[in-house]
Amino acid sequence: MLRKKTTFYVNARAIIERETPQGTEVLLQRRQKRGQPQRLEFPGGQLEPYEGILDALKREVREETGLKVTQLLDGTNRTANDAPGGEVECLTPSFVYQTTRGPVDSVGFFFRVRAAGELTQRGDGAGGHEWLALAELCRRFETQPDGFDWLTQGALRFYLRGKEA
């Protein structure tokens, strides 16, 4: 059977957390690309050809937020295996997603991270950055799910499981 060739994307995305006296906050941003709804999403994007997953994660966070990833919150168990003919990076993300239906065919890796630096007003295709306390994030997601892009909705369902509101 012949398969129709489609564009397939591989992404690295960050759930940037920070601790405050009131508890954990998470950074979200608004998509700001012409012709696309300005919904909340997590920073991240496509890997470049042969770019390491963690390198892509750090680059995308810097381009979209101005921040520098300083810590991975879940152990990645990263190894790089150099062999004749190529190199293979193996690691453990916080969680993985795959789209099984929708406007894009993609697989991606989410990492819980900490980041430092000055948050930009507008990054590469993103702006309206907003730190949300977990309780507020849960409330908004429950009452206004359409305020988040469809991919972020799926990620939030996974990320917020078992979190105290």
Side-chain angles (χ1 to χ4, degrees):
M1 178 172 139
L2 289 175
R3 291 185 180 195
K4 179 182 171 189
K5 187 169 181 148
T6 60
T7 302
F8 183 77
Y9 300 100
V10 179
N11 296 298
R13 298 192 174 273
I15 298 175
I16 303 172
E17 296 180 357
R18 72 177 180 187
E19 293 302 321
T20 71
Q22 294 75 36
T24 303
E25 293 182 338
V26 176
L27 182 68
L28 286 127
Q29 62 189 23
R30 291 203 180 277
R31 167 73 68 194
Q32 294 189 340
K33 290 188 176 179
R34 175 173 265 149
Q36 295 184 14
Q38 292 190 9
R39 294 192 172 113
L40 290 171
E41 64 179 7
F42 290 111
Q46 297 175 41
L47 275 68
E48 300 293 334
Y50 297 105
E51 180 180 31
I53 297 166
L54 294 176
D55 291 337
L57 175 77
K58 293 171 183 176
R59 175 183 53 77
E60 287 288 344
V61 167
R62 188 180 61 254
E63 288 174 358
E64 294 183 358
T65 69
L67 301 176
K68 179 181 178 184
V69 172
T70 58
Q71 182 183 5
L72 299 166
L73 296 176
D74 300 310
T76 62
N77 303 309
R78 184 190 179 278
T79 62
N81 302 293
D82 195 9
E87 183 177 323
V88 177
E89 178 181 56
C90 299
L91 53 84
T92 306
S94 297
F95 61 93
V96 176
Y97 76 87
Q98 176 186 358
T99 59
T100 54
R101 184 175 55 83
V104 295
D105 191 10
S106 67
V107 67
F109 310 94
F110 272 92
F111 295 87
R112 292 176 48 246
V113 304
R114 296 228 194 282
E118 190 171 327
L119 189 59
T120 185
Q121 292 291 314
R122 183 168 168 85
D124 183 25
H129 299 90
E130 188 174 353
W131 288 100
L132 291 174
L134 281 179
E136 175 62 13
L137 178 58
C138 289
R139 186 194 68 73
R140 275 205 211 170
F141 185 51
E142 191 174 290
T143 61
Q144 303 166 351
D146 290 340
F148 301 87
D149 81 338
W150 66 280
L151 184 65
T152 303
Q153 289 180 34
L156 281 170
R157 279 188 189 89
F158 189 88
Y159 173 71
L160 293 174
R161 291 182 318 171
K163 298 257 189 239
E164 294 295 321

